[in-house]
Amino acid sequence: MSEKSTSGAVFGEDVKRLPLKDLVKRIGPGLIATGIVIGPGAVTTASMLGADYGYDLIWLFIPIIFMGITFMLTTNRLAIVSGMPTIHAIRKYYGPVASGVVSVAVFLSCLFFTMGNISGTGAGMNLIFGIDWKIGSALMLAIVLYCYFAKNVYSKVEKIITLCILVMIVSFYITLIGVGGPDWGGFGKGLVSFQVPEGSLGTALAFISTNAAITAGIYATYLGKEKKWKKEDLFNGVMFTDALVHIISVVLISGAIILVGAVVLHPQGLSIKAPAQLAEMLVPIMGGAARYIMGLALLGAGFSSLLANTQRGMVLLGAGFNQDVRLESKFIRFGCLACLAFAAVVCYSYGGSPTQLILMANIATSIATPFGGLFTLLLLWRKDINEGYKTPAALRICMTISYAFALIMTISALSTQLPKLMNLFK
Protein backbone atom coordinates (compact mmCIF):
# COMPACT_ATOMS: atom_id res chain seq x y z
CA MET A 1 0.00 0.00 0.00
CA SER A 2 1.43 3.34 -1.02
CA GLU A 3 2.09 6.28 1.24
CA LYS A 4 1.12 9.77 0.26
CA SER A 5 4.00 11.36 -1.58
CA THR A 6 4.99 14.64 -3.14
CA SER A 7 3.69 13.36 -6.47
CA GLY A 8 0.19 13.29 -5.04
CA ALA A 9 -0.13 9.55 -4.57
CA VAL A 10 -2.63 8.45 -1.96
CA PHE A 11 -3.11 5.41 0.21
CA GLY A 12 -4.53 2.37 -1.50
CA GLU A 13 -4.23 3.26 -5.13
CA ASP A 14 -1.94 0.28 -5.86
CA VAL A 15 -3.82 -2.30 -3.73
CA LYS A 16 -5.32 -5.12 -5.79
CA ARG A 17 -8.70 -6.70 -5.15
CA LEU A 18 -8.51 -10.07 -3.40
CA PRO A 19 -9.88 -13.22 -5.07
CA LEU A 20 -13.21 -14.52 -3.78
CA LYS A 21 -11.75 -17.32 -1.64
CA ASP A 22 -9.56 -14.81 0.23
CA LEU A 23 -12.44 -12.36 0.64
CA VAL A 24 -14.54 -15.07 2.29
CA LYS A 25 -11.78 -15.66 4.86
CA ARG A 26 -11.49 -11.96 5.70
CA ILE A 27 -15.17 -11.09 6.22
CA GLY A 28 -17.14 -11.72 9.42
CA PRO A 29 -18.10 -8.56 11.35
CA GLY A 30 -21.03 -7.96 8.99
CA LEU A 31 -22.42 -11.42 9.72
CA ILE A 32 -22.23 -10.81 13.46
CA ALA A 33 -24.04 -7.50 12.89
CA THR A 34 -26.77 -9.45 11.07
CA GLY A 35 -27.11 -11.76 14.07
CA ILE A 36 -27.67 -8.70 16.25
CA VAL A 37 -30.17 -7.09 13.90
CA ILE A 38 -32.36 -10.16 13.32
CA GLY A 39 -33.68 -10.87 16.78
CA PRO A 40 -37.19 -11.82 18.00
CA GLY A 41 -38.31 -8.18 17.78
CA ALA A 42 -37.22 -7.92 14.16
CA VAL A 43 -39.00 -11.20 13.34
CA THR A 44 -42.19 -9.90 14.96
CA THR A 45 -42.03 -6.54 13.16
CA ALA A 46 -41.45 -8.17 9.77
CA SER A 47 -44.30 -10.63 10.35
CA MET A 48 -46.62 -7.76 11.32
CA LEU A 49 -45.75 -5.81 8.17
CA GLY A 50 -46.60 -8.74 5.93
CA ALA A 51 -49.72 -9.68 7.89
CA ASP A 52 -51.14 -6.16 8.13
CA TYR A 53 -50.14 -4.69 4.76
CA GLY A 54 -49.40 -7.61 2.44
CA TYR A 55 -46.93 -6.63 -0.29
CA ASP A 56 -47.50 -2.87 0.05
CA LEU A 57 -44.32 -2.20 2.05
CA ILE A 58 -41.86 -4.43 0.19
CA TRP A 59 -40.30 -1.24 -1.18
CA LEU A 60 -38.87 -0.53 2.29
CA PHE A 61 -35.97 -2.79 1.40
CA ILE A 62 -34.71 -0.15 -1.06
CA PRO A 63 -33.84 2.43 1.65
CA ILE A 64 -32.72 -0.42 3.94
CA ILE A 65 -30.15 -1.60 1.36
CA PHE A 66 -28.99 1.96 0.65
CA MET A 67 -28.68 2.97 4.30
CA GLY A 68 -27.34 -0.36 5.54
CA ILE A 69 -24.42 -0.44 3.10
CA THR A 70 -23.74 3.27 3.61
CA PHE A 71 -23.56 2.98 7.41
CA MET A 72 -21.27 -0.07 7.29
CA LEU A 73 -18.92 1.42 4.68
CA THR A 74 -18.76 4.77 6.50
CA THR A 75 -17.92 3.37 9.93
CA ASN A 76 -15.42 0.86 8.53
CA ARG A 77 -13.70 3.53 6.46
CA LEU A 78 -13.41 5.84 9.46
CA ALA A 79 -11.93 3.04 11.56
CA ILE A 80 -9.20 2.55 8.97
CA VAL A 81 -8.34 6.17 8.17
CA SER A 82 -8.50 7.33 11.81
CA GLY A 83 -6.75 4.22 13.12
CA MET A 84 -9.37 3.59 15.80
CA PRO A 85 -12.95 2.27 16.17
CA THR A 86 -15.85 4.73 16.05
CA ILE A 87 -16.49 5.63 19.69
CA HIS A 88 -12.76 5.92 20.37
CA ALA A 89 -12.58 8.32 17.41
CA ILE A 90 -15.53 10.31 18.77
CA ARG A 91 -13.78 10.51 22.14
CA LYS A 92 -10.54 11.74 20.54
CA TYR A 93 -12.05 14.38 18.26
CA TYR A 94 -15.17 15.48 20.21
CA GLY A 95 -14.40 14.67 23.83
CA PRO A 96 -15.44 12.21 26.55
CA VAL A 97 -18.93 13.68 27.04
CA ALA A 98 -19.92 12.98 23.44
CA SER A 99 -18.52 9.44 23.49
CA GLY A 100 -20.05 8.81 26.92
CA VAL A 101 -23.58 9.79 25.87
CA VAL A 102 -23.42 7.64 22.74
CA SER A 103 -22.07 4.62 24.61
CA VAL A 104 -24.55 4.83 27.51
CA ALA A 105 -27.55 5.19 25.18
CA VAL A 106 -26.47 2.18 23.09
CA PHE A 107 -25.73 0.14 26.22
CA LEU A 108 -29.19 0.77 27.69
CA SER A 109 -30.81 -0.14 24.41
CA CYS A 110 -28.86 -3.41 24.24
CA LEU A 111 -29.64 -4.24 27.87
CA PHE A 112 -33.39 -3.86 27.43
CA PHE A 113 -33.43 -5.79 24.16
CA THR A 114 -31.50 -8.62 25.83
CA MET A 115 -34.69 -9.41 27.72
CA GLY A 116 -36.55 -9.87 24.45
CA ASN A 117 -33.76 -12.12 23.20
CA ILE A 118 -33.96 -14.28 26.33
CA SER A 119 -37.70 -14.81 25.90
CA GLY A 120 -37.16 -15.41 22.15
CA THR A 121 -34.67 -18.24 22.70
CA GLY A 122 -37.00 -19.71 25.31
CA ALA A 123 -39.91 -19.62 22.86
CA GLY A 124 -37.80 -21.40 20.24
CA MET A 125 -36.82 -24.13 22.70
CA ASN A 126 -40.46 -24.51 23.71
CA LEU A 127 -41.58 -24.97 20.10
CA ILE A 128 -38.88 -27.54 19.33
CA PHE A 129 -38.71 -29.56 22.55
CA GLY A 130 -41.94 -28.67 24.35
CA ILE A 131 -40.10 -27.61 27.52
CA ASP A 132 -40.91 -24.57 29.65
CA TRP A 133 -39.55 -21.44 27.97
CA LYS A 134 -37.66 -20.40 31.12
CA ILE A 135 -35.79 -23.72 31.28
CA GLY A 136 -35.05 -23.52 27.55
CA SER A 137 -33.71 -19.98 27.76
CA ALA A 138 -31.62 -20.86 30.84
CA LEU A 139 -29.92 -23.60 28.82
CA MET A 140 -29.18 -21.13 26.04
CA LEU A 141 -27.81 -18.62 28.56
CA ALA A 142 -25.40 -21.27 29.79
CA ILE A 143 -24.13 -21.80 26.23
CA VAL A 144 -23.75 -18.05 25.76
CA LEU A 145 -21.69 -17.76 28.94
CA TYR A 146 -19.48 -20.63 27.81
CA CYS A 147 -18.78 -18.76 24.57
CA TYR A 148 -17.93 -15.59 26.50
CA PHE A 149 -15.42 -17.27 28.81
CA ALA A 150 -13.85 -19.67 26.31
CA LYS A 151 -10.68 -18.97 24.36
CA ASN A 152 -10.84 -17.38 20.90
CA VAL A 153 -14.15 -15.67 21.72
CA TYR A 154 -14.45 -13.80 18.43
CA SER A 155 -13.95 -16.93 16.34
CA LYS A 156 -16.60 -18.85 18.29
CA VAL A 157 -19.12 -16.01 18.11
CA GLU A 158 -18.58 -15.59 14.35
CA LYS A 159 -19.02 -19.30 13.64
CA ILE A 160 -22.09 -19.73 15.84
CA ILE A 161 -23.83 -16.66 14.45
CA THR A 162 -23.02 -17.73 10.88
CA LEU A 163 -24.70 -21.06 11.67
CA CYS A 164 -27.70 -19.28 13.21
CA ILE A 165 -28.07 -17.09 10.12
CA LEU A 166 -28.00 -20.14 7.84
CA VAL A 167 -30.62 -21.84 10.06
CA MET A 168 -32.85 -18.76 9.86
CA ILE A 169 -32.52 -18.45 6.08
CA VAL A 170 -33.23 -22.15 5.49
CA SER A 171 -36.13 -22.21 7.98
CA PHE A 172 -37.91 -19.15 6.64
CA TYR A 173 -37.48 -20.18 3.01
CA ILE A 174 -38.73 -23.70 3.72
CA THR A 175 -41.73 -21.99 5.31
CA LEU A 176 -42.15 -19.70 2.31
CA ILE A 177 -42.04 -22.64 -0.11
CA GLY A 178 -44.34 -24.63 2.14
CA VAL A 179 -47.07 -21.96 1.97
CA GLY A 180 -46.94 -21.84 -1.83
CA GLY A 181 -44.54 -18.95 -2.38
CA PRO A 182 -45.36 -15.29 -3.02
CA ASP A 183 -47.56 -13.72 -5.66
CA TRP A 184 -44.79 -12.30 -7.85
CA GLY A 185 -47.14 -9.80 -9.45
CA GLY A 186 -48.04 -8.39 -6.05
CA PHE A 187 -44.38 -8.50 -5.04
CA GLY A 188 -43.29 -6.49 -8.07
CA LYS A 189 -46.06 -3.95 -7.58
CA GLY A 190 -45.17 -3.51 -3.92
CA LEU A 191 -41.50 -3.02 -4.79
CA VAL A 192 -42.23 0.10 -6.85
CA SER A 193 -45.41 1.42 -5.21
CA PHE A 194 -43.68 3.56 -2.55
CA GLN A 195 -46.98 3.90 -0.71
CA VAL A 196 -47.41 4.15 3.06
CA PRO A 197 -50.78 2.63 4.03
CA GLU A 198 -52.73 4.38 6.75
CA GLY A 199 -51.50 3.40 10.19
CA SER A 200 -48.29 1.80 8.92
CA LEU A 201 -45.83 4.67 9.41
CA GLY A 202 -44.70 3.77 12.93
CA THR A 203 -44.12 0.09 12.14
CA ALA A 204 -42.44 0.95 8.82
CA LEU A 205 -40.02 3.35 10.50
CA ALA A 206 -39.24 0.79 13.21
CA PHE A 207 -38.56 -1.80 10.52
CA ILE A 208 -36.13 0.44 8.65
CA SER A 209 -34.29 1.59 11.77
CA THR A 210 -33.93 -2.00 12.96
CA ASN A 211 -32.62 -3.41 9.68
CA ALA A 212 -30.39 -0.44 8.79
CA ALA A 213 -28.88 0.84 12.05
CA ILE A 214 -25.81 3.04 12.41
CA THR A 215 -25.18 1.32 15.77
CA ALA A 216 -24.55 -1.97 13.92
CA GLY A 217 -21.87 -0.24 11.87
CA ILE A 218 -20.32 1.35 14.96
CA TYR A 219 -20.00 -2.04 16.65
CA ALA A 220 -18.63 -3.59 13.46
CA THR A 221 -15.56 -1.33 13.78
CA TYR A 222 -14.68 -3.07 17.05
CA LEU A 223 -15.29 -6.47 15.48
CA GLY A 224 -13.00 -5.42 12.63
CA LYS A 225 -10.29 -4.84 15.20
CA GLU A 226 -10.87 -8.34 16.61
CA LYS A 227 -10.70 -9.65 13.03
CA LYS A 228 -7.39 -7.78 12.64
CA TRP A 229 -8.47 -5.81 9.57
CA LYS A 230 -5.70 -3.71 8.03
CA LYS A 231 -5.57 -0.59 5.85
CA GLU A 232 -5.40 -2.75 2.73
CA ASP A 233 -8.82 -4.19 3.56
CA LEU A 234 -10.40 -0.82 2.82
CA PHE A 235 -9.25 -1.06 -0.80
CA ASN A 236 -8.99 -4.77 -1.62
CA GLY A 237 -12.73 -5.45 -1.44
CA VAL A 238 -12.90 -6.93 2.07
CA MET A 239 -14.92 -4.16 3.73
CA PHE A 240 -17.28 -3.68 0.80
CA THR A 241 -17.89 -7.45 0.59
CA ASP A 242 -18.46 -7.62 4.34
CA ALA A 243 -21.03 -4.78 4.16
CA LEU A 244 -22.70 -6.40 1.15
CA VAL A 245 -22.93 -9.81 2.86
CA HIS A 246 -24.43 -8.12 5.92
CA ILE A 247 -27.20 -6.34 4.07
CA ILE A 248 -27.94 -9.30 1.75
CA SER A 249 -28.36 -11.65 4.73
CA VAL A 250 -30.61 -9.11 6.48
CA VAL A 251 -32.79 -8.70 3.37
CA LEU A 252 -32.97 -12.45 2.71
CA ILE A 253 -34.24 -13.17 6.22
CA SER A 254 -36.52 -10.17 6.76
CA GLY A 255 -37.85 -10.44 3.21
CA ALA A 256 -38.85 -14.07 3.68
CA ILE A 257 -40.64 -13.25 6.94
CA ILE A 258 -42.64 -10.42 5.36
CA LEU A 259 -43.61 -12.65 2.44
CA VAL A 260 -44.80 -15.44 4.75
CA GLY A 261 -47.00 -12.90 6.56
CA ALA A 262 -48.28 -11.53 3.24
CA VAL A 263 -49.08 -14.98 1.82
CA VAL A 264 -50.61 -16.63 4.90
CA LEU A 265 -51.91 -14.02 7.32
CA HIS A 266 -52.87 -10.99 5.23
CA PRO A 267 -55.57 -12.72 3.12
CA GLN A 268 -57.22 -13.94 6.35
CA GLY A 269 -56.97 -10.59 8.11
CA LEU A 270 -54.82 -12.13 10.86
CA SER A 271 -52.07 -10.40 12.81
CA ILE A 272 -49.50 -11.42 15.42
CA LYS A 273 -47.87 -9.86 18.45
CA ALA A 274 -45.20 -12.51 19.09
CA PRO A 275 -43.18 -14.59 16.59
CA ALA A 276 -44.22 -17.89 18.23
CA GLN A 277 -47.79 -17.16 17.12
CA LEU A 278 -46.65 -17.47 13.51
CA ALA A 279 -45.90 -21.16 14.07
CA GLU A 280 -49.41 -21.75 15.41
CA MET A 281 -51.02 -20.04 12.41
CA LEU A 282 -48.93 -22.07 9.96
CA VAL A 283 -49.99 -25.45 11.39
CA PRO A 284 -53.17 -25.72 9.23
CA ILE A 285 -50.99 -25.27 6.10
CA MET A 286 -47.74 -27.03 7.02
CA GLY A 287 -48.91 -29.43 9.71
CA GLY A 288 -46.72 -30.39 12.67
CA ALA A 289 -43.55 -29.39 10.78
CA ALA A 290 -44.47 -25.70 11.24
CA ARG A 291 -43.74 -25.91 14.97
CA TYR A 292 -40.22 -27.26 14.47
CA ILE A 293 -39.28 -25.11 11.47
CA MET A 294 -40.39 -21.90 13.15
CA GLY A 295 -38.85 -23.08 16.42
CA LEU A 296 -35.44 -23.40 14.74
CA ALA A 297 -35.85 -20.02 13.07
CA LEU A 298 -36.84 -18.32 16.32
CA LEU A 299 -34.08 -20.05 18.28
CA GLY A 300 -31.54 -18.91 15.69
CA ALA A 301 -32.83 -15.34 15.81
CA GLY A 302 -32.97 -15.15 19.59
CA PHE A 303 -29.69 -16.93 20.29
CA SER A 304 -27.59 -15.06 17.72
CA SER A 305 -28.92 -11.72 18.89
CA LEU A 306 -28.52 -12.67 22.55
CA LEU A 307 -24.93 -13.77 22.00
CA ALA A 308 -23.74 -10.71 20.08
CA ASN A 309 -26.07 -7.99 21.38
CA THR A 310 -24.94 -8.34 25.00
CA GLN A 311 -21.31 -8.14 23.93
CA ARG A 312 -22.09 -5.12 21.79
CA GLY A 313 -23.61 -3.27 24.73
CA MET A 314 -20.58 -3.87 26.95
CA VAL A 315 -18.01 -3.13 24.24
CA LEU A 316 -19.62 0.20 23.33
CA LEU A 317 -20.13 1.13 26.99
CA GLY A 318 -16.49 0.42 27.73
CA ALA A 319 -15.35 2.31 24.64
CA GLY A 320 -17.12 5.45 25.83
CA PHE A 321 -15.21 5.36 29.12
CA ASN A 322 -11.84 4.24 27.77
CA GLN A 323 -11.99 0.68 29.15
CA ASP A 324 -10.34 -2.44 27.72
CA VAL A 325 -12.89 -3.62 25.12
CA ARG A 326 -11.21 -6.77 23.83
CA LEU A 327 -13.78 -9.58 23.84
CA GLU A 328 -11.56 -11.65 26.13
CA SER A 329 -10.95 -8.83 28.63
CA LYS A 330 -12.31 -9.11 32.18
CA PHE A 331 -14.38 -5.94 31.72
CA ILE A 332 -16.28 -7.42 28.77
CA ARG A 333 -16.60 -10.96 30.11
CA PHE A 334 -17.83 -10.10 33.61
CA GLY A 335 -19.83 -7.14 32.33
CA CYS A 336 -21.72 -9.49 29.99
CA LEU A 337 -22.26 -11.90 32.87
CA ALA A 338 -23.77 -9.12 35.00
CA CYS A 339 -25.99 -7.92 32.12
CA LEU A 340 -27.31 -11.41 31.42
CA ALA A 341 -27.98 -12.05 35.11
CA PHE A 342 -29.88 -8.76 35.50
CA ALA A 343 -31.85 -9.26 32.28
CA ALA A 344 -32.74 -12.84 33.22
CA VAL A 345 -34.02 -11.84 36.67
CA VAL A 346 -36.22 -9.09 35.21
CA CYS A 347 -37.37 -11.24 32.29
CA TYR A 348 -38.31 -14.24 34.46
CA SER A 349 -39.93 -12.06 37.12
CA TYR A 350 -42.25 -10.40 34.61
CA GLY A 351 -42.92 -13.56 32.60
CA GLY A 352 -41.29 -12.44 29.36
CA SER A 353 -40.18 -9.26 27.69
CA PRO A 354 -42.12 -6.44 29.37
CA THR A 355 -43.65 -3.92 26.97
CA GLN A 356 -42.38 -0.97 29.01
CA LEU A 357 -38.80 -2.26 28.83
CA ILE A 358 -38.99 -2.67 25.06
CA LEU A 359 -40.46 0.83 24.84
CA MET A 360 -37.55 2.21 26.86
CA ALA A 361 -35.15 0.30 24.63
CA ASN A 362 -36.70 1.89 21.56
CA ILE A 363 -36.29 5.34 23.08
CA ALA A 364 -32.66 4.61 24.00
CA THR A 365 -32.06 3.50 20.41
CA SER A 366 -33.82 6.62 19.13
CA ILE A 367 -31.34 8.72 21.10
CA ALA A 368 -28.24 6.67 20.28
CA THR A 369 -28.84 6.39 16.54
CA PRO A 370 -29.04 10.10 15.62
CA PHE A 371 -26.42 11.14 18.17
CA GLY A 372 -23.92 8.48 17.14
CA GLY A 373 -24.82 9.09 13.50
CA LEU A 374 -24.17 12.83 13.85
CA PHE A 375 -20.61 12.35 15.08
CA THR A 376 -19.99 9.66 12.49
CA LEU A 377 -21.11 12.08 9.79
CA LEU A 378 -18.95 14.87 11.22
CA LEU A 379 -15.93 12.55 11.29
CA LEU A 380 -16.49 11.60 7.65
CA TRP A 381 -16.46 15.27 6.59
CA ARG A 382 -13.27 16.15 8.53
CA LYS A 383 -10.36 16.98 6.24
CA ASP A 384 -7.69 15.98 8.78
CA ILE A 385 -9.05 12.42 9.10
CA ASN A 386 -9.19 11.91 5.34
CA GLU A 387 -5.77 13.45 4.70
CA GLY A 388 -3.66 11.11 2.60
CA TYR A 389 -6.70 9.29 1.21
CA LYS A 390 -8.90 9.98 -1.78
CA THR A 391 -11.80 12.22 -0.77
CA PRO A 392 -14.91 10.02 -0.31
CA ALA A 393 -17.29 12.41 -2.09
CA ALA A 394 -19.92 9.82 -3.01
CA LEU A 395 -19.86 8.24 0.46
CA ARG A 396 -20.23 11.66 2.09
CA ILE A 397 -23.34 12.37 0.03
CA CYS A 398 -24.83 8.94 0.73
CA MET A 399 -24.10 9.25 4.46
CA THR A 400 -25.64 12.74 4.63
CA ILE A 401 -28.82 11.50 2.93
CA SER A 402 -28.97 8.42 5.17
CA TYR A 403 -28.45 10.43 8.34
CA ALA A 404 -31.11 12.97 7.35
CA PHE A 405 -33.57 10.13 6.78
CA ALA A 406 -32.61 8.51 10.11
CA LEU A 407 -33.18 11.86 11.86
CA ILE A 408 -36.65 12.14 10.34
CA MET A 409 -37.40 8.60 11.48
CA THR A 410 -36.24 9.45 14.99
CA ILE A 411 -38.44 12.52 15.29
CA SER A 412 -41.44 10.56 14.02
CA ALA A 413 -40.73 7.64 16.36
CA LEU A 414 -40.18 9.80 19.45
CA SER A 415 -43.42 11.70 18.78
CA THR A 416 -45.30 8.43 19.39
CA GLN A 417 -43.00 6.71 21.89
CA LEU A 418 -42.49 9.48 24.45
CA PRO A 419 -46.22 9.95 25.22
CA LYS A 420 -46.50 6.17 25.73
CA LEU A 421 -43.54 6.24 28.12
CA MET A 422 -44.99 9.15 30.07
CA ASN A 423 -48.27 7.24 30.45
CA LEU A 424 -46.38 4.45 32.24
CA PHE A 425 -45.52 6.80 35.11
CA LYS A 426 -49.01 8.25 35.58
Side-chain angles (χ1 to χ4, degrees):
M1 184 173 62
S2 61
E3 297 287 333
K4 186 174 182 182
S5 66
T6 55
S7 62
V10 296
F11 293 129
E13 60 181 12
D14 62 347
V15 176
K16 296 181 180 179
R17 185 177 179 84
L18 293 177
L20 180 60
K21 64 177 182 178
D22 293 329
L23 286 175
V24 171
K25 295 177 182 178
R26 296 292 295 152
I27 64 173
L31 285 171
I32 294 180
T34 298
I36 295 172
V37 166
I38 307 295
V43 173
T44 304
T45 303
S47 300
M48 290 172 60
L49 283 179
D52 295 340
Y53 308 107
Y55 300 100
D56 291 347
L57 293 171
I58 290 293
W59 65 269
L60 292 177
F61 285 108
I62 296 175
I64 284 173
I65 292 171
F66 179 83
M67 295 171 65
I69 292 179
T70 296
F71 289 152
M72 294 293 284
L73 289 179
T74 297
T75 51
N76 284 334
R77 176 189 172 84
L78 288 172
I80 290 298
V81 300
S82 69
M84 61 190 77
T86 303
I87 292 185
H88 279 77
I90 293 174
R91 183 181 181 86
K92 176 180 178 180
Y93 290 99
Y94 299 103
V97 174
S99 64
V101 171
V102 174
S103 64
V104 169
V106 176
F107 169 75
L108 290 175
S109 173
C110 292
L111 179 61
F112 292 128
F113 279 125
T114 292
M115 298 166 198
N117 295 330
I118 290 174
S119 61
T121 56
M125 292 289 283
N126 174 261
L127 286 172
I128 298 171
F129 301 107
I131 61 177
D132 183 89
W133 75 269
K134 292 182 180 179
I135 296 175
S137 63
L139 292 173
M140 292 298 101
L141 284 172
I143 296 175
V144 169
L145 289 174
Y146 164 74
C147 294
Y148 288 163
F149 284 86
K151 294 182 178 179
N152 301 317
V153 175
Y154 174 85
S155 177
K156 286 183 173 59
V157 170
E158 183 182 292
K159 290 176 182 177
I160 291 174
I161 289 183
T162 300
L163 176 61
C164 289
I165 290 171
L166 291 175
V167 167
M168 283 189 279
I169 291 175
V170 171
S171 298
F172 284 121
Y173 278 89
I174 287 177
T175 304
L176 186 57
I177 294 170
V179 300
D183 171 8
W184 291 110
F187 177 88
K189 183 179 178 181
L191 195 61
V192 297
S193 67
F194 302 110
Q195 60 177 309
V196 181
E198 185 177 353
S200 68
L201 181 61
T203 307
L205 292 177
F207 184 70
I208 295 175
S209 62
T210 298
N211 288 277
I214 185 67
T215 50
I218 290 174
Y219 182 49
T221 61
Y222 290 88
L223 296 174
K225 189 175 181 181
E226 294 280 344
K227 189 73 175 180
K228 296 180 173 58
W229 275 352
K230 301 177 181 179
K231 288 185 177 181
E232 289 88 348
D233 293 323
L234 177 61
F235 308 100
N236 60 19
V238 168
M239 291 188 180
F240 177 78
T241 303
D242 189 75
L244 193 62
V245 167
H246 163 68
I247 203 63
I248 287 175
S249 56
V250 167
V251 170
L252 282 176
I253 298 170
S254 294
I257 302 169
I258 286 183
L259 291 177
V260 170
V263 172
V264 179
L265 307 182
H266 184 65
Q268 303 179 61
L270 300 175
S271 187
I272 66 170
K273 294 184 179 180
Q277 288 180 280
L278 189 56
E280 299 171 7
M281 294 179 179
L282 289 172
V283 169
I285 299 173
M286 301 182 65
R291 180 182 184 90
Y292 299 103
I293 294 172
M294 289 305 301
L296 284 171
L298 187 54
L299 182 61
F303 184 75
S304 63
S305 189
L306 180 65
L307 180 64
N309 179 69
T310 309
Q311 279 186 327
R312 176 178 67 160
M314 283 307 304
V315 166
L316 298 184
L317 177 67
F321 296 93
N322 207 28
Q323 298 294 314
D324 184 357
V325 295
R326 291 176 298 112
L327 296 184
E328 296 187 24
S329 68
K330 290 183 178 180
F331 177 82
I332 298 301
R333 283 176 163 171
F334 288 99
C336 287
L337 174 61
C339 289
L340 288 176
F342 174 80
V345 168
V346 175
C347 188
Y348 295 157
S349 299
Y350 287 88
S353 179
T355 301
Q356 60 266 37
L357 294 173
I358 295 299
L359 176 60
M360 295 172 78
N362 287 334
I363 291 176
T365 302
S366 296
I367 296 171
T369 297
F371 199 69
L374 172 62
F375 287 104
T376 302
L377 181 63
L378 292 175
L379 286 169
L380 186 63
W381 279 89
R382 288 183 70 104
K383 292 182 178 180
D384 53 349
I385 285 184
N386 289 287
E387 185 177 359
Y389 295 86
K390 184 179 179 180
T391 302
L395 189 58
R396 282 175 169 175
I397 294 172
C398 292
M399 182 61 193
T400 302
I401 294 172
S402 297
Y403 177 71
F405 190 67
L407 196 60
I408 293 171
M409 288 194 300
T410 298
I411 294 172
S412 299
L414 286 177
S415 66
T416 58
Q417 290 177 347
L418 284 178
K420 292 179 182 179
L421 180 63
M422 296 303 295
N423 289 333
L424 295 175
F425 297 98
K426 288 183 179 180

